[in-house]
Amino acid sequence: MNECVIVIFGITGDLAKRKLIPAIYHLIADKKITNVAIVGVGLEDTMNVSSILTAARPFIAHPDEEIMQYLSEHMHYQPMNFLDTASYAGLKKSIEQLEKKDRLPGNRLFYLASAADFFCTITTALGDSGLAQRLTEKQPFWHRIVYEKPFGYDLSSAHVINTCIQKYFDENQIYRIDHYLTKELVSNIALIRFTNCIFEPLWNNQYISQVQVILSESGGIEGRGLYYDGYGALRDVVQNHMLELIALIAMEAPTKLTGDFIREQRARVLEKIIMVDGMRGQYSGYTEEKNVKANSTTETFAVLQLKINNPRWSGVPFYLKTGKKLDKKETIIHIKFKQVDCLLMRGCPIESNWLTLRVAPDATVSLSLNAKKPGKSDEIVPISMEFSHSAVFGNPGSEKSYETLFEEVMRGEQSVSVRFDEIEYAWRVIDMIDKARLPLYSYAPGSCGPTEVVQFESKHGMRWKS
Ligand code: BG6
């Protein structure tokens, strides 16, 4: 199943050199792909296979020359304008030649690492040219199309793309991917919840008082001004990564812990999210970044309070915080349990329990409990029980998102892909936030965000857990 042609639209872009080519390199190195041809499609006439691999090399740690040589022999560069539908015949010919040369079985993975504006045109051309076909069960090969985020700009544009691509392909061939769904700890959330009977009885508004999801980045926009200034933090990471984290935390038990069963339950949560409050921020110096408008009001930071309008979560606030150029790089989920009645003679009130799922930079799960301080006293102190991925499995468990993504698409596993309705529900939340016209404050790079966050905290009687 992993013998295939991988066609990357946008091979000369940032994502291809930083993530996609290194991921393919590692899959070859780990022998997870044994026979592959890579076709890179890009606009530039001046690029070639050698310049593409040279650009990707710094993002591959200690490249092995034999594998680099394999890549250069099995990669083909096709310069073409994605909008020129006539040129897809030439692309088809190149792919067929490569399949013949490398005796590939006809499996094709099309990776659209281009702007969402091109998704409909490229998909239409793939379908019309026969490069990718709607398949029946009987065909011994597969054709799958991967759409990189952001999938649209708002609900209506996402709906237009969905309608367009569904004319050509079945939902089981379509992968609207979110690399967060492949992160070790993220794919573990549902498993931890549903394979341990100690969590599920407590997983509701009777016992949980709030949830915090924090995606904090120390880096800035890293030369991506043209893209970022049009999207901002809400569209760049909230619409996808953060809402999917909430969906996984809040979903009901799926019939089975796979593919469409999980997607169905994630969709049911996203459908019920409402926006309650929030504020936005922009780091000072942002408007001097390359390709950013001098008067830009695009947010590089946001805090939000969302709620989920269903019986399980009614009344529980879900707090989100994200930002670029903050004091640290960390993605973390804190789940706060309600306080117990204090039966002690003294030393009350005691701490609530927190379950903390740290997604990155390393994967850990910790549970804070209350215990007696050693000695005779009945003084209570918080203690922590921790599972660390690196301590148990020998690696941090967070670095292989794009490799896992390719593997899962090649396997046909759809839980890494966001279903058509899920993505529209998530955009609906962003539309709701847009309508609220949240205020924008400035913050110093390297800080925890705008100082006004304190007002948000006191208004909601909460504190961000550090
Ligand atoms: C990407 C965003 O989807 O996710 C980036 O476009 C962001 O702006 C990145 O930096 C964060 O992903 P990770 O895996 O580094 O946490």
Side-chain angles (χ1 to χ4, degrees), residues 299-344:
E299 75 285 342
T300 59
F301 174 95
V303 294
L304 298 166
Q305 192 205 98
L306 306 178
K307 287 209 169 144
I308 301 172
N309 231 342
N310 68 14
R312 184 188 282 262
W313 296 110
S314 168
V316 179
F318 283 72
Y319 294 107
L320 275 67
K321 178 161 83 161
T322 185
K324 297 266 187 206
K325 288 215 179 176
L326 294 180
D327 56 339
K328 60 179 157 194
K329 164 106 181 133
E330 183 179 64
T331 302
I332 199 158
I333 302 162
H334 298 290
I335 297 162
K336 185 179 187 187
F337 290 86
K338 289 193 172 165
Q339 214 139 13
V340 289
D341 291 339
C342 185
L343 307 177
L344 298 169

Side-chain angles (χ1 to χ4, degrees), residues 19 148-149 178-180 183 215 217 220 222 224 227-228 236-237 240-241 324 329 331 360 398 401-402:
K19 304 283 185 190
E148 182 55 53
K149 62 156 273 278
D178 180 334
H179 78 276
Y180 257 65
K183 287 190 188 275
L215 194 164
E217 297 193 84
E222 292 171 344
R224 297 193 302 154
Y227 152 76
Y228 196 89
D236 185 44
V237 295
N240 34 73
H241 310 328
K324 297 266 187 206
K329 164 106 181 133
T331 302
S398 62
S401 301
Y402 279 86

Side-chain angles (χ1 to χ4, degrees), residues 359-400:
V359 173
D362 49 347
T364 63
V365 180
S366 59
L367 179 64
S368 79
L369 299 173
N370 291 304
K372 191 177 79 66
K373 204 172 173 182
K376 274 192 179 159
S377 84
D378 57 2
E379 195 183 332
I380 297 294
V381 286
I383 53 150
S384 173
M385 295 199 323
E386 182 163 292
F387 153 67
S388 149
H389 197 281
S390 60
V392 179
F393 299 112
N395 62 61
S398 62
E399 286 308 318
K400 295 190 168 176

Side-chain angles (χ1 to χ4, degrees), residues 135-190:
L135 300 177
T136 64
E137 296 274 297
K138 289 194 196 105
Q139 274 137 325
F141 52 84
W142 49 259
H143 291 167
R144 296 179 186 139
I145 331 280
V146 178
Y147 299 87
E148 182 55 53
K149 62 156 273 278
F151 189 89
Y153 180 81
D154 53 14
L155 172 57
S156 80
S157 57
H159 184 71
V160 168
I161 302 172
N162 269 337
T163 312
C164 169
I165 67 179
Q166 285 171 330
K167 270 194 229 145
Y168 287 89
F169 301 105
D170 289 332
E171 191 59 27
N172 64 11
Q173 297 179 271
I174 295 173
Y175 289 75
R176 300 170 197 80
I177 50 102
D178 180 334
H179 78 276
Y180 257 65
L181 293 175
T182 65
K183 287 190 188 275
E184 191 57 47
L185 202 106
V186 176
S187 47
N188 212 345
I189 293 176

Side-chain angles (χ1 to χ4, degrees), residues 92-108:
K92 188 169 181 218
K93 211 162 150 201
S94 305
I95 292 175
E96 284 166 355
Q97 277 166 1
L98 288 168
E99 285 177 336
K100 206 162 161 203
K101 172 169 102 43
D102 291 333
R103 295 167 184 266
L104 288 161
N107 299 328
R108 295 176 185 169

